[in-house]
Amino acid sequence: MAESVCRTLRDGGLEGEHAPALTIKDSIASPFGFDVFCHVLTQLSSFILAGKSQSRGLVLVAFCRSPSFYADLLKSKGIDVNSSNKWVRILDCYTDPLGWKFRLMGVGNLRDLSCEASSTGILCKDVKDTNKLYSSIIELGKGLVAEAKSRFSVAIDSVDQMLRHASMSSVAGLFSNLRSHGQVSNVFWLLHSDLHEVRVTASLEYMSSMVASVEPLQQLTNGQRDDSDKASLTEQNLKKGKFHVRFKRRNGRVRVMLEEFHIEQSGISFKSASSEEVTNQGLLPKVQFSLQLSEKEQIDRSNVVLPFEHQGNGKPIQIYDGRNSLMEGKHETTSVSAGNSETNEGSGGGEIIYYRDSDDEMPDSDEDPDDDLDI
């Protein structure tokens, strides 16, 4: 499933549509979102170098790691770093995000900071200005692709750092502008969801065509008070977890997939989840009670007699119609039947007796009384 995410980013978007966007989110319970981000980054870089991707270059906006870290990462995965200046550019928002070091360098208290970012990108000295940040990303991307119709990918390693210095509305506007730009093939970013309000996470997920959630393999419930149980679960969650992805299709449908990941010394690896796990995940809401009935509960439910079911047990069924009961009707006489004993004798129920007001009143007939009128 992680490969499905990478292939979707590789294929990019259609002409006139927004570029695919991926949100990778994690929490303190399973803090492996950056490992997933690096996996997607290296896979997409391999596709670009092999010419299999819609994008012809990659712009990496580095907030939480230095450009040299990403150079070493790509080199460790066997990706040619020597030719990286031809297909990748790094916008360095890590070294001096607010320009303080640049001011100190101006008075001679600090060395030149531009040497690290000069080979593959540029140094950003004001991450608060999202408009300038957007212009820098587009400028770097256009420098990678010579043709006007060629596209490039955008990777942002930390939305949390962006939200420290800019408002949610300005960050959302930046992402929206990137997705709608004609030369952007795809965008993906990393978010630590437990650092923000629910509305922030919901807004970023709404803007994304894919949401990848890194979750612990087993949740620690309140009933588990034993320290040994907690230690065991914590140790398991530090080695593996669940990779839960939600795809939004063009027709509006949503596809949910589940996978397991393992943290190894060489990096992160993925494997298919067990069939039981996939069945339990499905599209059912996450609730704290069982939605299935046991065998005993099913038997008890089948023995319940509902009000609309026959309850006569072989005897004639008497349905109460809101009037006096049949037993009461046998012991009382009505005023109507007393005046007409010859017609009501032996009858325990009431009757409707109709008297015509006059002899001129015609009885009921199928003939039209106005048939003789000449209109």
Side-chain angles (χ1 to χ4, degrees), residues 258-260 270-274:
L258 178 66
E259 218 172 28
E260 289 183 6
F270 300 88
K271 74 170 187 178
S272 300
S274 61

Side-chain angles (χ1 to χ4, degrees), residues 87-104:
W87 60 271
V88 64
R89 289 284 188 275
I90 300 179
L91 183 59
D92 185 7
C93 301
Y94 171 83
T95 304
D96 191 15
L98 299 176
W100 294 348
K101 296 179 181 179
F102 181 76
R103 297 190 190 98
L104 292 175

Side-chain angles (χ1 to χ4, degrees), residues 23-36 160 190-196 201 212-216 261:
T23 295
I24 304 171
K25 67 172 186 176
D26 66 355
S27 63
I28 191 64
S30 186
F32 302 111
F34 187 73
D35 297 86
V36 177
D160 314 289
L190 173 62
L191 173 72
H192 301 303
S193 59
D194 50 356
L195 298 180
H196 309 282
T201 305
S213 303
V214 180
E215 302 173 356
F261 67 85

